[in-house]
Amino acid sequence: MSLRIVVAVKYVPDATGDRHFAEDLTTDRESVDGLLSELDEYAVEQALQIADDADDAEVTVLTVGPEDANDALRKALSMGADKAVHVEDDDLHGTDALGTSLVLAKAIEKTGYDLVVCGMASTDGTMGVLPAMLAERLGVPQVTLLSEVSVEDGNVKGRRDGDTATEHLEAALPAVVSVTDQSGEARYPSFKGIMAAKKKPVESLDLDDLDLDGDDFGLEGAWTKVDEATPRPARTAGTVVKDEGEGGKQLAEFLAGQKLL
């Protein structure tokens, strides 16, 4: 029987762009370019490696997001994933991590899975809670923050590196795992992979397809939301210390004034 791997990925604003909030205090995704979250690229890479080591495996990438989120799916497909699922619905605007985890769980159940692979966090929200929420909603074990992962004899195994210890973990499939940015560099899509991605299937779903009520999502249904945000002040000119015999003293006084000494 084929090993069914689902990778949850996110379309995020480019971290090098001018990111800010929209008028409703949700992330402004219109005025900045978006891309596949870098931390999710590690998840795609580990899923592909697991599939390469299996006798028979299929990798599906799944995202919840606006129309442009299709770009994130195409990037993952060009890396080597087999197919994609895109959940898009206007009622999802402003949905928090709790609501997103429910949508993802329903889509994963509809797709079918043995292993769900996630990145350690998204590069926009950086909450890192989604893998645990997914495991709870799916009712399966979670093995998170892995720097090494493999599947053997119906079990997922991995290594988690902490500040003071290294843990070797194992769970029976089906399961949810998340991988860190130490799990191995993600491959670059080849020209052949980019061309092949254009022909790979992308299934589109909305809340009705998942038997979910739109009233439970969006800003009104969110359990967490931003109440207030203040733009970061513009950068001011720095202090220039000219060494005319007193440079060392002036520098020490400046650092002391900033409580850095």
Side-chain angles (χ1 to χ4, degrees):
M1 182 178 178
S2 176
L3 176 66
R4 300 167 299 173
I5 306 172
V6 177
V7 188
V9 301
K10 190 175 184 182
Y11 180 73
V12 299
D14 189 343
T16 63
D18 182 18
R19 298 179 296 175
H20 52 272
F21 289 114
E23 290 186 5
D24 61 359
L25 294 181
T26 61
T27 302
D28 183 357
R29 302 181 186 277
E30 298 294 331
S31 60
V32 63
D33 291 335
L35 41 72
L36 170 62
S37 175
E38 180 183 359
L39 293 175
D40 289 342
E41 289 188 20
Y42 295 98
V44 175
E45 176 62 33
Q46 292 308 306
L48 294 174
Q49 290 190 26
I50 292 171
D52 288 341
D53 292 336
D55 293 333
D56 185 15
E58 182 178 63
V59 177
T60 302
V61 285
L62 164 66
T63 196
V64 175
E67 181 180 357
D68 289 345
N70 190 61
D71 292 343
L73 295 177
R74 288 298 175 190
K75 172 68 177 295
L77 291 172
S78 67
M79 291 172 66
D82 299 296
K83 61 180 184 177
V85 177
H86 184 184
V87 182
E88 179 187 0
D89 198 301
D90 291 341
D91 288 339
L92 288 171
H93 174 73
T95 301
D96 62 1
L98 200 63
T100 300
S101 70
L102 176 56
V103 177
L104 284 171
K106 291 291 187 181
I108 289 169
E109 289 174 336
K110 186 178 183 67
T111 301
Y113 72 102
D114 298 298
L115 177 67
V116 179
V117 185
C118 306
M120 61 188 291
S122 64
T123 55
D124 53 357
T126 64
M127 295 182 68
V129 298
L130 194 61
M133 289 181 173
L134 266 181
E136 176 66 20
R137 291 195 183 280
L138 294 171
V140 300
Q142 58 169 310
V143 187
T144 56
L145 300 176
L146 301 179
S147 55
E148 184 178 280
V149 61
S150 63
V151 172
E152 301 175 27
D153 301 323
N155 294 308
V156 59
K157 301 180 180 181
R159 189 187 78 237
R160 179 191 292 152
D161 296 320
D163 293 335
T164 59
T166 293
E167 300 172 295
H168 293 274
L169 307 168
E170 182 175 341
L173 297 179
V176 174
V177 303
S178 69
V179 298
T180 72
D181 54 358
Q182 301 301 310
S183 58
E185 289 297 322
R187 67 193 67 184
Y188 289 102
S190 64
F191 177 75
K192 181 179 179 180
I194 293 172
M195 298 305 293
K198 297 179 179 181
K199 299 180 180 180
K200 292 180 179 179
V202 178
E203 181 181 8
S204 296
L205 300 173
D206 58 20
L207 292 177
D208 288 338
D209 294 323
L210 300 175
D211 296 323
L212 292 172
D213 188 344
D215 293 339
D216 295 328
F217 304 98
L219 276 175
E220 294 301 318
W223 287 69
T224 59
K225 63 183 69 175
V226 178
D227 288 331
E228 184 179 351
T230 302
R232 181 170 55 190
R235 181 177 295 179
T236 58
T239 300
V240 178
V241 176
K242 296 182 179 180
D243 189 4
E244 297 176 351
E246 295 289 325
K249 180 181 178 181
Q250 293 179 49
L251 179 58
E253 290 175 348
F254 173 78
L255 293 175
Q258 300 295 317
K259 297 182 179 181
L260 298 175
L261 286 180

